[in-house]
Amino acid sequence: MIERFTTTLDCVDTTFIADGLLDRLPAPAQLGATRVGGVDLNKPRIRAALAAVLALSTTSDGFTVAAFTAKVHTMTGDTGYTIRQAAYDLRKLRGKQLVDKPGRSRRYQLDPRTAGTIAALLTLREHVIAPILAGIRSPRMGRKPITWTSVDRDYEKIRIDMQALFQHLGIQAAA
């Protein structure tokens, strides 16, 4: 159990996204004879599902749909998320080979390497794309904060470079 936990932590620490994955995620997938929908990272529900799967990835014997639903409830506070929705979200994740359900088991498992991919997707969406796009709209006025970290400097440089890129491409940031 400890070995699986440390392996998962190691894989989540060094994350990557395979070529073309971002293009393949929103497309429908085939799971056996059933066609399931794609995974849209812009939907809060699927982001919550991915975060819950990642949180449950360290369990040694896998997790059930009920445990998954409970984890989404505790992480988001949304008690309207039903077991039926959870089962459908897990089917979509299985269709994209992000989650595995071995044999005829009722338990789902997450391969440690896939945990790294999910961590990378969530990090990219929440901590890279969203802050950059939010910072493009408004120029920074006034003084810089007293505690200016290297991450803050990186975001500021990206924000300025993205404004120049948008200007060259003729893209107007929404006011």
Side-chain angles (χ1 to χ4, degrees), residues 14-27:
T14 55
T15 61
F16 68 94
I17 298 175
D19 291 340
L21 179 65
L22 289 175
D23 294 330
R24 287 191 313 268
L25 279 178

Side-chain angles (χ1 to χ4, degrees), residues 16-130:
F16 68 94
I17 298 175
D19 291 340
L21 179 65
L22 289 175
D23 294 330
R24 287 191 313 268
L25 279 178
Q30 196 76 22
L31 186 61
T34 307
R35 187 172 174 180
V36 292
V39 175
D40 185 1
L41 292 175
N42 293 320
K43 305 275 188 205
R45 182 175 124 183
I46 201 67
R47 287 196 311 269
L50 286 170
V53 163
L54 195 59
L56 293 168
S57 67
T58 57
T59 58
S60 61
D61 58 343
F63 57 91
T64 62
V65 176
F68 174 72
T69 307
K71 183 54 101 174
V72 170
H73 286 180
T74 59
M75 291 178 78
T76 64
D78 178 19
T79 55
Y81 187 72
T82 65
I83 287 182
R84 186 178 199 159
Q85 290 172 321
Y88 181 65
D89 289 343
L90 285 170
R91 251 181 298 174
K92 290 196 304 188
L93 296 177
R94 281 181 57 211
K96 296 298 178 180
Q97 286 85 39
L98 294 173
V99 175
D100 186 37
K101 184 176 157 188
R104 298 183 60 85
S105 172
R106 291 180 182 230
R107 295 192 165 272
Y108 294 84
Q109 294 179 341
L110 183 64
D111 185 81
R113 291 179 301 268
T114 308
T117 301
I118 291 173
L121 288 169
L122 290 174
T123 301
L124 183 65
R125 170 64 170 77
E126 297 296 322
H127 299 289
V128 177
I129 295 171

